[in-house]
Amino acid sequence: FKNKGDYRRFAVFCLARIGTEVYDTTLLCPVDRSLTDLTFPDVMVFNQIPADFTFQLEVYSHILQDDLSIASTPRKIKKTIHSSISRTVGKKLAASLRDELNSGKIGPHFELMASARLTLDDVHDNIHTYDLKLESPEVRSHQLPLFGHFCCRLAAQPDCMGGEVAGGPVWGWGGSQPAWARLQAFNLQLWHTRDAWLQGQPCLQSVPVDKNTVIRSKKTSKLEFEIVNVSGGEEESLGLRTETCDERDQWLRHLQQHIHDHKRWKSAAEKTMEIYSPGSGRQLFSRPSRQGSLYDEIPLIETVQP
C-alpha cells in the first residue's frame, strides 16, 4: 500500500499444487495497509511425488472495498455516518445484488495476483526466499500490492527414507548361516537374525548404497553379487549370496534403483529433512498482532469545560 489514503481491503488465500494434488491455505481477511506481511501457517504434505516434481504456488485475492467506507472508519465516525445513508444508496445496493444474482455469479470473485514455480533444486531444510511472478488483474485498482517475493520451507524426502525398500535373508561369501538384510534410507544393514532386527538390536554392519556405489555380479556364480564403495581412496566391498536366482535378481533390481534414486533426489537424499504433519501446530513464522491505533481513541470534538 503506497500511501496513507489507500483504504482498500482484500481477502487473500493461496493454492499449492504438485501434479493433480492441490491444497488451499487459510483465508486471510481482511488484508489492509496495517499489514506488512501475509502469513499462512498451513503445513502441506504431498505424497508419492517424483524427483522431477514442479511445485506451483498461486496467490488469489478478492477486493472487499476500494475506498474509504464504513468498514475502514473508526467507531466514533461510524455512528455519525450510519444514520446518513439514504434510501437511494440502499436501492442501488439492492439493484447491484440483483444484477449479480441474475448473472449467475454467486459469491466473491477471486483473481490470480501472483504465482511461483519451485523444483527439487529449491529444496532446503530451512526457510528461503523465492521470487513471485506478479499478474495483472482486469481492474487495476484490484491489484494486491505485493513486493514480488515470498518465504517458505520446501522440504523433500524420498519414500525410501521412511520405509523399507527390501528385506530378507542373505549369506556372506563362504558363510554357512544367513544374516537378515534390510535396505532403507540409502543403506544396507545386516543383523544376525530376523529376530534380532525385530527386537531392535543394533545392526552388525551398515553399508552405504548411494550414487557412488557400484554393484557387481559375480560371473562364476548366479547367486552371488558384490556391493562396492570407495573410502579413503580404497575400495571396500561386501560380497553376498542369495538362495535362489530370483532372490538375487530382486536384490540387484532394488539396489540399482536405490542408487538411481540417490542421484535423482540430489540434496534431499544427502540429508534427512523433517516433514511436519498438517495440523501439528508447528509455527514456522510468527507475527505479532496489530496494536490499536491512537486515532481510534481520540474524540472527534474535544469537550470544553465551562
Side-chain angles (χ1 to χ4, degrees), residues 1 8 10 12 31 38 59-61 113 137 142-146:
F1 297 88
R8 291 176 299 164
F10 298 86
V12 184
V31 173
L38 303 183
V59 183
Y60 290 87
S61 76
M113 292 289 113
H142 290 186
Q143 177 71 57
L144 180 68
L146 298 172

Side-chain angles (χ1 to χ4, degrees), residues 289-297:
S289 58
R290 178 181 179 270
Q291 301 298 319
S293 171
L294 289 176
Y295 183 73
D296 297 337
E297 307 299 326

Side-chain angles (χ1 to χ4, degrees), residues 165-167 183 209 247-261:
V165 174
L183 181 62
V209 181
E247 289 180 358
R248 189 204 70 157
D249 291 343
Q250 289 179 9
W251 273 110
L252 291 178
R253 185 167 57 253
H254 287 306
L255 289 168
Q256 293 290 2
Q257 183 62 48
H258 223 52
I259 294 171
H260 181 60
D261 288 343

